[in-house]
Amino acid sequence: MCLAIPVEIIELKDNGMAVAEAGGIRRKVSVQLLEDVKKGDYVLLHAGFAIQKIDEKQAKETLRLLREVASI
Amino acid sequence: MKFLDEFQNKEIARGLLERIRELCDGKVTLMEVCGTHTMALFKFGIRSLLPSQLNVVAGPGCPVCVTPQSAIDKAIRLSDKATIVTYGDMYKVPGSYSSLEKEKAKGKDIRIVYSPLDALAIAERSPDKEVVFLGIGFETTAPASASTIISTRENGIKNFSLLCVHRLIPPAMKALSNGELNIDGYLCPGHVSTIIGEKPYSAIAQRFNIPCVIAGFEALDILEGIYLLLKQINEGKSYVENGYRRVVRPEGNKLALEVMEKVFEIADSEWRGLGWIEKSGLVLKGEFNDFDAEKKFDIKIAKPRPRPGCICGEILKGLKIPSECKNFGSKCTPDEPLGPCMVSSEGTCAAYYKYARESLKK
């Protein structure tokens, strides 16, 4: 149930909805639970709602830290 | 950057496992409280690679499993007068006498959706039918229900209501923290944390001296979570650490929390298998009575009848593992489940059945 997938926001529509894409599949999603969502943002999609933006810088930083811990 | 494959890197995984082995010099019990973690630990083969003194126990992290039986009984009773719409996970879960799947086979209008917005759309398309959405799930999912109820009211839709059985994870963690099991660390649910942030776990870390690490769901995320927990345990520390920074902000999702606060209030609630837990569930506020299936309809059900032979309660508290259940794999299987843990896509028994059945036979 915690299944949430990263999707890219392709288009913003009105009424708090947007079009998102992942793996070539497009879906209408609600962005009513986020502020300032822009085209090109990657968000976490859960039960039809974008619940958080994915922070690419943080993702890269986490990977860098993990490499360090793993001594690679 | 796809944010998925990179977190499955085998080289880094190997290195993290080395660190975990180095840090583990005695018996350690970690608990995860998320069905997706339960499954991922098996799916990525992590369980089989961890040192034997490290026990990762599944807690009550499967929202389907902890939804009280009475909720299913109520939904079935309501199906006499309304279209029942549910997430797919609830479909086969046994209530006291039947399941939504079995009721559908009898001809009731019961439908599966991916989002509560889809349930609302069903109501909009059939204004002459009452539509009830079964709102299960933890804090990851509750905002979706809340937002949908707000949209229902704003759009003047009168035939849609929510049967609300949302539950909150930190109160359950609190209830387990001074229970029968000695928990040395909590792997905290990544997506619940996306909504609630880091703060709700502080009380648990400080009051019970149990480190809490928020972890995501890819292989490296889980290994990182375990590594950070072992590090804290070795250092004698217990604080909240965020290992899932790419989507968990310290403050969580403020807007989602506001939406929840607008629509719901917190109440003492019943958890299947665990009993009543203080301030652990959500109910609709009085101003939303028109959209509350419990208030809108007169739902009288017989006293829920516990399933004989089902030890889901002990499984959900981490006191037993599925192989210790005499009915596991025999009288209780995913096709003919005695309880929710076997049939839910994130249930502990389902996970063991799918991934560990063969090794258990030996």
Side-chain angles (χ1 to χ4, degrees), chain B residues 144-189:
Chain B
S145 290
S147 183
T148 304
I149 289 299
I150 290 174
S151 298
T152 307
R153 191 166 71 170
E154 278 173 6
N155 297 334
I157 296 161
K158 302 267 187 269
N159 60 325
F160 181 78
S161 57
L162 176 70
L163 184 58
C164 183
V165 272
H166 289 296
R167 295 292 180 262
L168 306 173
I169 276 283
M173 290 167 72
K174 189 171 152 212
L176 289 171
S177 296
N178 56 358
E180 296 157 69
L181 187 66
N182 259 349
I183 298 166
D184 300 312
Y186 277 114
L187 203 64
C188 299

Side-chain angles (χ1 to χ4, degrees), chain B residues 62-113:
Chain B
C62 162
V64 166
C65 303
V66 300
T67 295
Q69 232 169 299
S70 57
I72 301 171
D73 297 344
K74 283 177 190 167
I76 290 173
R77 175 54 33 103
L78 278 171
S79 67
D80 288 333
K81 47 183 115 170
T83 297
I84 303 301
V85 189
T86 177
Y87 289 118
D89 326 47
M90 284 307 284
Y91 195 55
K92 292 185 175 199
V93 181
S96 296
Y97 302 96
S98 185
S99 68
L100 292 171
E101 182 193 32
K102 294 194 167 116
E103 292 301 302
K104 168 118 186 160
K106 290 182 195 166
K108 308 273 187 73
D109 190 2
I110 295 170
R111 306 191 207 180
I112 292 174
V113 293

Side-chain angles (χ1 to χ4, degrees), chain A residues 54-66:
Chain A
I54 302 177
D55 186 333
E56 181 169 352
K57 261 197 358 224
Q58 281 291 356
K60 289 188 170 145
E61 176 59 20
T62 300
L63 282 166
R64 191 193 64 75
L65 276 166
L66 290 179

